[in-house]
Amino acid sequence: MRIAIVAESFLPLMNGVTHSILRVLEHLQERGDEVMVIAPSTSDTAVSDVVNGAFVHRLPSVPLAGYTNVRVALGGVSRVKRILADYAPDVVHLASPFVLGWRAVQAAHQLGIPTVAIYQTEVPSYAARYGVPILENWAWNRVDNIHLLADRTLVPSTFALNQLRGRGILRVGMWRRGVDTARFSPTKRSTAWRASVAPDGERIIGYVGRLAIEKQVEDLAVLADLPGTRVVIVGDGPQRAALEAALPNAVFTGFLGGDELAQVVAGFDLFVHPGEFETFCQTIQEAMASGVPVVATGRGGPLDLVENSRTGWLYEPGDLAQMRGYVQDLVGDDAKRRAFGKAALASVQGRTWPVLSAQLVQHYEAVIAGDALVEPPTAPVLPAELQAAELQAAVLPAELHPAEPAVISVTSSKGLSA
């Protein structure tokens, strides 16, 4: 198969969109498919023009005002149309399309090339958070136009599915995200790392994600005075300085990746995610794979990932007193926290990237053949006996969630694997 992936953002910027593309590229490379990625240019000369076997065609771009590491591709539909005509792909994959993706879906439509659009970022809702609510309606019109023109749209959660269908976009199916349960595991828990950030045995509450306005990391300030806790924030972004001022006692690790990130996540006693605009929230899934219970806002992707009173707690959006109460509930009850962590680990078994990528290829094949949308199961499930075997191999360490003083660790690094 010959595939063109049009990426609204890509390396060297690491975020949820980039991470998903990289994992899909790994799968396509293993299959022997030919892939080209069309993405904004970068000033980083060290970035290769071949990634996981795919050639990266860079378009001229400019940095986004106020967020300079995010770049917006320049040029019109005709430029993208020429690139696609020369490459002649069997299918065009639109990764979180908005600016470049809008040009690409028009170009592909004019060329008669089928398209699969991945709805991954709730861009219109960012407008109000960034103080320009007047742009929200315009942005929703753009989203509508893209997905109405695409042959198929895939969303990562039932919230996003209902959101788009409610806007009259009907060719929509579910495609969730995988999680690397070998990389993110309770076995990565490090007592040495825990002691380095919580020397008095505090319990650690963590957040992982980009430090940007739409992530609402400042909401974690309501946890700052919980006794026996430490806030650890992993990640980076334009709000870092403001957050360091608002949370002076928190530990800010900066951007982390690879095994270092996995070790930190496994070291949390509790994971908190306050953002209300997550279409999925990969970092929640990674925390759960690490055996860590979650407290998250009850909107968007977390609704599918967190089961109340079993794997964590969902609080009403904006109700920070409720969030604080749920955090206190878990940091103060070792047995409950341990039980929630085990349930969280069990809930993500079988959600591997190879399984999810194989589902994506089926969607490619379907639009190429002109088949009507048939939704896959809402969550990939392993055979019961295999799932049991995997769970047995991933037993929580005995020291997981020990009865120590509470530490709140806020980890924010949405470039790690989200």
Side-chain angles (χ1 to χ4, degrees):
M1 194 183 303
R2 198 171 173 86
I3 304 153
I5 297 179
V6 180
E8 206 70 43
S9 62
F10 195 54
L11 295 174
L13 178 65
M14 273 301 299
N15 55 23
V17 175
T18 302
H19 176 70
S20 296
I21 294 171
L22 292 176
R23 301 313 297 264
V24 169
L25 288 178
E26 289 174 2
H27 184 77
L28 297 178
Q29 184 178 34
E30 290 177 1
R31 280 172 39 90
D33 296 308
E34 296 182 52
V35 187
M36 175 179 67
V37 176
I38 303 173
S41 64
T42 173
S43 58
D44 188 343
T45 58
V47 176
S48 174
D49 59 0
V50 176
V51 177
N52 292 344
F55 171 71
V56 183
H57 188 118
R58 298 282 184 175
L59 293 175
S61 67
V62 294
L64 183 65
Y67 209 156
T68 55
N69 64 334
V70 176
R71 301 186 67 87
V72 179
L74 302 174
V77 175
S78 59
R79 181 194 291 264
V80 181
K81 185 176 179 180
R82 287 194 298 271
I83 297 169
L84 292 178
D86 289 343
Y87 187 67
D90 298 308
V91 63
V92 175
H93 170 138
L94 307 165
S96 195
F98 192 72
V99 178
L100 177 56
W102 171 228
R103 300 173 197 145
V105 74
Q106 293 176 84
H109 183 72
Q110 292 171 17
L111 293 167
I113 304 171
T115 51
V116 174
I118 311 299
Y119 178 67
Q120 190 164 340
T121 308
E122 194 179 327
V123 174
S125 296
Y126 287 10
R129 294 293 305 177
Y130 278 86
V132 284
I134 194 173
L135 294 178
E136 187 169 359
N137 286 339
W138 171 85
W140 273 120
N141 286 335
R142 168 62 58 83
V143 169
D144 292 345
N145 290 334
I146 290 171
H147 294 287
L148 286 169
L149 193 57
D151 291 283
R152 181 169 300 192
T153 290
L154 301 178
V155 297
S157 63
T158 53
F159 179 90
L161 185 76
N162 294 331
Q163 186 180 51
L164 292 191
R165 285 183 173 171
R167 300 189 64 83
I169 300 166
L170 303 180
R171 294 190 299 273
V172 184
M174 190 81 75
W175 180 60
R176 299 192 187 276
R177 301 295 179 269
V179 62
D180 188 341
T181 53
R183 177 183 171 199
F184 291 95
S185 165
T187 62
K188 301 295 180 66
R189 189 177 178 90
S190 166
T191 55
W193 178 81
R194 287 178 55 82
S196 71
V197 298
D200 296 322
E202 303 94 333
R203 295 190 187 96
I204 302 172
I205 302 168
Y207 163 83
V208 179
R210 193 168 61 252
L211 301 187
I213 291 174
E214 70 273 11
K215 299 300 180 181
Q216 300 172 240
V217 185
E218 68 277 5
D219 289 354
L220 297 171
V222 302
L223 307 176
D225 64 345
L226 285 178
T229 66
R230 174 78 66 192
V231 175
V232 176
I233 298 178
V234 179
D236 214 339
Q239 268 209 308
R240 179 166 178 174
L243 290 169
E244 287 178 333
L247 293 158
N249 296 320
V251 174
F252 286 78
T253 71
F255 177 87
L256 297 178
D259 290 338
E260 188 177 14
L261 172 64
Q263 180 186 82
V264 168
V265 174
F268 294 159
D269 291 296
L270 181 64
F271 185 86
V272 180
H273 192 92
E276 297 176 15
F277 304 116
E278 299 293 332
T279 58
F280 185 72
C281 199
Q282 179 70 356
T283 54
I284 284 180
Q285 195 166 235
E286 290 165 354
M288 296 170 82
S290 303
V292 178
V294 174
V295 173
T297 186
R299 184 187 186 277
L303 292 169
D304 285 357
L305 297 174
V306 181
E307 184 178 346
N308 258 332
S309 194
R310 183 172 176 271
T311 63
W313 291 111
L314 294 169
Y315 64 91
E316 288 292 325
D319 191 342
L320 301 187
Q322 188 180 49
M323 176 181 73
R324 178 184 167 98
Y326 283 147
V327 169
Q328 287 178 304
D329 173 66
L330 288 175
V331 298
D333 189 330
D334 299 328
K336 179 184 286 189
R337 194 174 64 252
R338 187 178 301 112
F340 277 31
K342 288 181 178 179
L345 174 62
S347 73
V348 300
Q349 300 305 308
R351 299 181 188 176
T352 65
W353 272 108
V355 170
L356 273 296
S357 296
Q359 286 184 0
L360 179 62
V361 170
Q362 290 175 354
H363 285 292
Y364 290 164
E365 293 170 342
V367 296
I368 291 170
D371 295 341
L373 179 66
V374 177
E375 285 187 42
T378 55
V381 179
L382 286 176
E385 64 276 10
L386 180 56
Q387 189 175 83
E390 285 206 2
L391 285 175
Q392 186 175 12
V395 176
L396 295 179
E399 77 278 11
L400 188 60
H401 309 310
E404 306 157 341
V407 177
I408 299 177
S409 161
V410 182
T411 308
S412 151
S413 75
K414 186 79 173 184
L416 318 178
S417 56

